[in-house]
Amino acid sequence: MSAPNKSYDPVEVEALKPEAVERAREDALEAIAGAGDLEALHEVRIAHAGDRSPLALANREIGALPPKARADAGKRVGRARGEVNKALATRLAELEAERDERVLVEEAVDVTLPARRAPLGARHPLTTLMERIEDVFVAMGYEVAEGPEAEAEWFNFDALNIAPDHPARSEHDTFFLHAPGAGAEGAEGAADAADGPGSGVVLRTHTSPVQIRSLLDREPPVYVVCPGRVFRTDELDATHTPVFHQVELLAVDEGLTMADLRGTLDHMVGALFGADIRTRLRPNYFPFTEPSAEMDMVCYVCRGDSVGNPDRPCRTCSSEGWIELGGCGMVNPRVLTACGVDPERYSGFAFGFGIERMLMFRHNVEDMRDMVEGDVRFTRPFGTEI
Ligand SMILES: [Zn+2]
């Protein structure tokens, strides 16, 4: 740009000629109308209304004109730029509205589409019942103890005062993983189980070996509850399964008597079946307890009312009024001795029962196979206890 020049002829300035301004204006309006989207409109704005657009360049030339010509040219260029800016604003509003409408359609969510449902399972009632029983004893100060399922014969039998000629040791009842007398070196898979004196390795036939392990691990007083899986060579049918669950209880302390055992059992059935459920003990024999007893509880359904009353038969107790719960007794002093506990100073009681059986009479489950088949239709009605 140069200083005002009196001899300057406005007609000579190409960019400011009326037809040039008019052409720039028309080009701009045409480009604006032809912009199909916001991006294109942005390009059009740079080309026709930006700093280097023909109208902006023309505007810069105005200052170089003589005063009279300056007003004319200024009015002309100003009007053209105003129109272009107005057209830009209008087109921008149109394109933004179009975009918003398209986004609404493209990003619409069909709330009527069916949802993908994840089928809900349920915890197995054996698990929840076992945890419930554990809770009863943990609340009394007992500790939960566990042991290996592949167990040394010594822990499973000998230490529990089950002599080698006891029928429970015959292969009819026991799964042998590693035959007796073959030495322990073949039992890598059950190395932990093979550390007791003796030879064979078995799948434990009861949870009682955990009592022995607990006594060897701890100094009396010992109060443990031992839940777990046990194995017997039974065929699976309505009342038998080769794999089932037991809960075993062991208390060893100074001065424990049958009365403590009885009180503990009464508390347990009260917590599980109702506060006024009574228990009774019948003499029995187990090698690892002396004296031993079979423990019954009053039928929690009929409370004994079905006995001699044909009008009110009870399916839960077969109208006998009592339900057999499990075996118990005072720990045999020979078991205490085997575990290095002085039987002159300490005494103890033990109690064991099957969880499957308890689940059967507690919930009227008639077929044990339902518990092992894993059908969610069986577990779901028990609800989910945490
Ligand atoms: Zn009954």
Side-chain angles (χ1 to χ4, degrees):
M1 257 178 287
S2 45
N5 181 351
K6 302 280 181 196
S7 63
Y8 200 89
D9 180 356
V11 180
E12 297 296 315
V13 179
E14 191 60 32
L16 287 173
K17 282 183 183 167
E19 53 273 28
V21 172
E22 179 60 18
R23 195 167 55 248
R25 184 186 74 93
E26 281 173 2
D27 286 352
L29 292 180
E30 195 179 325
I32 291 166
D37 54 36
L38 289 166
E39 214 169 296
L41 188 66
H42 180 69
E43 297 300 321
V44 168
R45 181 188 296 276
I46 290 169
H48 295 279
D51 287 347
R52 306 192 64 77
S53 63
L55 285 173
L57 293 174
N59 197 44
R60 269 183 236 163
E61 296 293 344
I62 293 171
L65 293 178
K68 192 171 176 306
R70 209 183 288 169
D72 269 1
K75 211 179 284 178
R76 201 158 53 237
V77 173
R79 200 184 302 126
R81 295 183 85 194
E83 267 183 63
V84 168
N85 283 335
K86 201 174 157 201
L88 275 171
T90 309
R91 187 68 187 139
L92 180 70
E94 283 171 11
L95 289 174
E96 279 179 346
E98 266 175 39
R99 179 202 56 194
D100 291 350
E101 207 164 308
R102 194 173 58 246
V103 164
L104 280 178
V105 172
E106 283 172 359
E107 297 183 2
V109 175
D110 184 354
V111 293
T112 66
L113 279 176
R116 198 175 304 155
R117 282 166 204 254
L120 280 183
R123 300 189 73 203
H124 200 284
L126 283 174
T127 311
T128 49
L129 180 57
M130 204 138 67
E131 288 179 0
R132 196 175 251 235
I133 295 165
E134 283 170 30
D135 285 349
V136 171
F137 288 104
V138 167
M140 284 194 277
Y142 282 72
E143 185 187 341
V144 177
E146 289 180 330
E149 291 175 354
E151 185 60 281
E153 246 189 307
W154 185 83
F155 280 111
N156 197 74
F157 296 124
D158 300 67
L160 288 158
N161 198 32
I162 301 174
D165 56 354
H166 193 281
R169 286 177 89 135
S170 93
E171 292 196 35
H172 295 291
D173 287 323
T174 310
F175 286 110
F176 282 93
L177 291 180
H178 177 51
E185 50 291 344
E188 289 88 357
D192 183 39
D195 57 3
S199 46
V201 176
V202 300
L203 285 178
R204 64 181 179 192
T205 56
H206 47 186
T207 40
S208 306
V210 186
Q211 294 186 12
I212 306 299
R213 290 180 173 274
S214 303
L215 280 177
L216 288 171
D217 282 354
R218 298 164 173 79
E219 287 295 316
V222 172
Y223 290 88
V224 290
V225 56
C226 325
R229 255 189 307 196
V230 300
F231 308 83
R232 305 262 174 104
T233 54
D234 285 322
E235 293 290 325
L236 179 64
D237 63 27
T239 52
H240 295 86
T241 156
V243 184
F244 56 102
H245 298 77
Q246 281 187 342
V247 170
E248 190 100 1
L249 182 72
L250 172 71
V252 173
D253 204 343
E254 288 181 49
L256 289 183
T257 68
M258 267 318 241
D260 298 303
L261 167 63
R262 185 71 189 273
T264 307
L265 296 177
D266 279 350
H267 176 78
M268 183 194 78
V269 293
L272 293 172
F273 294 95
D276 54 344
I277 299 292
R278 288 178 295 121
T279 59
R280 74 175 179 188
L281 298 179
R282 287 180 287 117
N284 202 342
Y285 168 76
F286 301 109
F288 38 91
T289 47
E290 180 59 37
S292 304
E294 200 69 50
M295 178 257 195
D296 298 339
M297 58 179 260
V298 166
C299 172
Y300 68 99
V301 176
C302 67
R303 316 248 163 173
D305 289 349
S306 63
V307 182
N309 189 352
D311 299 335
R312 289 196 55 192
C314 177
R315 279 191 348 180
T316 304
C317 65
S318 309
S319 300
E320 286 175 0
W322 294 92
I323 298 170
E324 190 182 316
L325 207 55
C328 60
M330 301 305 290
V331 179
N332 193 313
R334 297 179 68 170
V335 173
L336 294 177
T337 305
C339 299
V341 175
D342 179 7
E344 298 295 322
R345 183 176 170 196
Y346 293 103
S347 57
F349 59 79
F351 171 55
F353 56 93
I355 306 295
E356 275 81 357
R357 222 187 89 69
M358 186 182 272
L359 187 72
M360 285 178 98
F361 68 73
R362 198 167 183 259
H363 295 280
N364 287 325
V365 178
E366 286 178 354
D367 195 325
M368 222 176 240
R369 285 169 288 198
D370 288 335
M371 299 182 199
V372 299
E373 278 170 352
D375 191 328
V376 75
R377 288 172 297 181
F378 170 73
T379 52
R380 211 187 276 133
F382 288 91
T384 296
E385 287 180 31
I386 304 288

